[in-house]
Amino acid sequence: SLQYSIGVQRELPWNLIAQVDYNYRKGLNEVNIFDINQADSVNGPRIAAFPHPIPYADSSAYSTYNGLLARVDRRFKNGLQFTASYALSSFKAFSNDSLGLGGAPTDLNNLRADFGPARLDRKHRFVFSAVYDTPWFRNDSSWVKKNLLGNWTMSLISTSFSGTPQSVFLPDFVDL
């Protein structure tokens, strides 16, 4: 794979750090699997005497990922730490493949026509996480208060993201 990344980071008031990164990744020599005989084609198989699929795999496929990540971190102070991050990204591959394991193209006469959003593509992703160390009974002389009611740490992780792309293939007999 080819990978490129560039980013900037800036310290802000209130113990905050802001960071913005751009990432580009291109996976090379990924597997493309298809029936070279086109046995299921409307026109019939290429080798008429052999009407069965002939699976063929080559390494001509690739995938690309472009992502812009913005993040704000609060350093641990007064018992609180958090991170909020947002990613705007695009993940494209062949035949709707999501892991470089190969897929079945829809147009064997133009394999490049199947390059588009992959199954794992999420355009928008937001993650918020926080850790809070409770101050209750921290310095209390009572062992019960200090160790049962105090010394608690609470955490939260929340993720939201857009849906995955969907493709619809209609049978050959449907004429729209």
Side-chain angles (χ1 to χ4, degrees):
S1 70
L2 303 171
Q3 301 182 22
Y4 304 97
S5 180
I6 188 167
V8 293
Q9 188 179 69
R10 174 80 179 174
E11 186 173 358
L12 301 173
W14 309 292
N15 296 306
L16 297 175
I17 294 176
Q19 181 174 336
V20 177
D21 294 305
Y22 171 74
N23 291 298
Y24 175 82
R25 291 180 176 86
K26 183 172 185 175
L28 302 171
N29 301 323
E30 293 178 354
V31 179
N32 209 0
I33 302 171
F34 52 92
D35 172 17
I36 200 165
N37 197 29
Q38 297 186 19
D40 296 331
S41 171
V42 173
N43 300 327
R46 290 185 174 180
I47 304 172
F50 190 76
H52 303 287
I54 301 174
Y56 176 75
D58 70 11
S59 58
S60 64
Y62 60 89
S63 63
T64 60
Y65 172 84
N66 284 289
L68 183 66
L69 173 68
R71 187 169 102 183
V72 175
D73 292 313
R74 183 182 190 272
R75 296 181 189 147
F76 194 75
K77 185 175 180 185
N78 298 330
L80 177 64
Q81 170 185 334
F82 70 81
T83 298
S85 64
Y86 170 76
L88 174 64
S89 65
S90 170
F91 177 38
K92 294 182 179 180
F94 281 93
S95 305
N96 203 12
D97 184 23
S98 58
L99 298 173
L101 302 175
T106 55
D107 185 356
L108 294 176
N109 297 316
N110 182 7
L111 296 177
R112 300 285 182 222
D114 282 320
F115 185 76
R119 278 181 267 184
L120 294 179
D121 184 32
R122 303 278 187 175
K123 193 75 163 170
H124 307 280
R125 184 180 304 256
F126 177 76
V127 179
F128 180 81
S129 63
V131 174
Y132 181 63
D133 190 14
T134 62
W136 311 313
F137 307 107
R138 185 176 292 153
N139 299 321
D140 199 287
S141 60
S142 168
W143 184 91
V144 173
K145 285 183 181 177
K146 187 174 185 177
N147 292 297
L148 295 179
L149 300 176
N151 288 328
W152 287 91
T153 300
M154 293 185 261
S155 63
L156 164 78
I157 297 176
S158 177
T159 303
S160 58
F161 44 82
S162 57
T164 57
Q166 301 295 315
S167 297
V168 175
F169 292 100
L170 300 174
D172 291 332
F173 62 82
V174 175
D175 183 9
L176 298 176

